[in-house]
Amino acid sequence: MSSNSTDPSSLNSAASDVVGLDNNNLFNCIDRDNVHGLNLMVPEDAKELIKPWDQREQTDKFADSGVDDQIIIHVPFTQNVRIKSILLKLGRGEAAPRHLRVYANHPTIVDFADAETFKPQIDISLLEGESHVVEYPVRVAAFASINSLSLFFSESAGEETSRVYYIGFKGDVRELRKERDSHMDVPAANSASSTLFDRLAEKAGGQQTTAR
């Protein structure tokens, strides 16, 4: 398993049932119309996993795997975000996936061949037997500026089908550096450095007038 792997026992109370509204939920930052998946029984079901917070526990919409127990869900964001945790509601019993690998910032979905080549940002052993949404904290440094994630679920208990009900994320929006810099621009005439600039210009001008 990767050095970035996360064992359920290390999550303790942090990976617990999520209660109440959280202002750090990134639902509004997800480009839901462009969420898609690989090896789904119904391809259109991928976007049904992206639900508002108050619908996170609903079980009428879900995605099942197709020919085997592996599913990849690609989630693009409308702007760069910092991910602090991944929220999941998964199938139970034989349909419960037990392993998740997460790949960040690939322009298109990571397919099954890519998944064997690329190193994931995190490799998680999923909790089993949970009936509610569970929060999995991630190493923020590895998810500091994210524009898309591909989530690779595998190794279901029954080894035939995996089911996912809900995918969500906690974090915050990362303001673009260019936008930050534009707010910090100070006109030269008003800046502290303008006086020094003027003195240097005058000195250079004086040297030019004496040069022959």
Side-chain angles (χ1 to χ4, degrees):
M1 183 174 288
S2 165
S3 59
N4 289 331
S5 62
T6 301
D7 186 84
S9 61
S10 68
L11 297 170
N12 298 323
S13 61
S16 59
D17 293 348
V18 183
V19 179
L21 179 64
D22 195 297
N23 291 330
N24 293 324
N25 190 288
L26 293 175
F27 171 78
N28 289 327
C29 297
I30 297 174
D31 184 3
R32 189 175 182 273
D33 288 341
N34 288 308
V35 173
H36 58 285
L38 296 178
N39 191 38
L40 297 179
M41 185 74 72
V42 180
E44 293 75 19
D45 285 344
K47 65 183 62 179
E48 300 296 343
L49 306 179
I50 310 300
K51 304 172 184 177
W53 180 256
D54 59 357
Q55 298 177 21
R56 67 194 183 281
E57 296 290 358
Q58 293 183 3
T59 57
D60 57 325
K61 296 179 180 179
F62 54 85
D64 280 344
S65 62
V67 299
D68 56 25
D69 62 352
Q70 297 184 333
I71 297 177
I72 297 180
I73 304 294
H74 185 68
V75 182
F77 295 91
T78 57
Q79 54 195 312
N80 279 15
V81 297
R82 177 172 58 182
I83 305 292
K84 297 180 179 179
S85 60
I86 300 172
L87 308 172
L88 300 172
K89 181 177 175 65
L90 305 173
R92 301 180 65 189
E94 294 190 348
R98 296 179 293 182
H99 190 199
L100 171 64
R101 283 176 278 179
V102 182
Y103 303 84
N105 293 345
H106 290 268
T108 59
I109 191 169
V110 172
D111 63 25
F112 294 106
D114 292 335
E116 300 304 324
T117 304
F118 299 144
K119 182 179 180 180
Q121 262 63 29
I122 193 168
D123 194 340
I124 301 173
S125 294
L126 300 169
L127 295 173
E128 296 183 56
E130 298 293 328
S131 60
H132 300 291
V133 172
V134 175
E135 179 178 3
Y136 293 87
V138 301
R139 189 166 58 90
V140 177
F143 294 85
S145 185
I146 301 298
N147 55 58
S148 69
L149 293 176
S150 289
L151 291 79
F152 181 9
F153 298 92
S154 62
E155 299 180 17
S156 70
E159 300 183 351
E160 293 184 1
T161 301
S162 287
R163 174 172 291 185
V164 181
Y165 290 102
Y166 170 78
I167 296 174
F169 306 93
K170 283 185 182 180
D172 50 40
V173 174
R174 306 302 290 164
E175 185 179 16
L176 295 179
R177 181 178 297 275
K178 183 176 180 181
E179 294 178 46
R180 292 201 305 269
D181 291 346
S182 68
H183 293 302
M184 297 174 65
D185 286 344
V186 179
N190 298 325
S191 69
S193 62
S194 63
T195 303
L196 176 60
F197 179 85
D198 291 341
R199 289 204 303 269
L200 292 174
E202 290 173 0
K203 183 177 180 181
Q207 291 175 340
Q208 290 173 357
T209 57
T210 57
R212 292 285 184 267

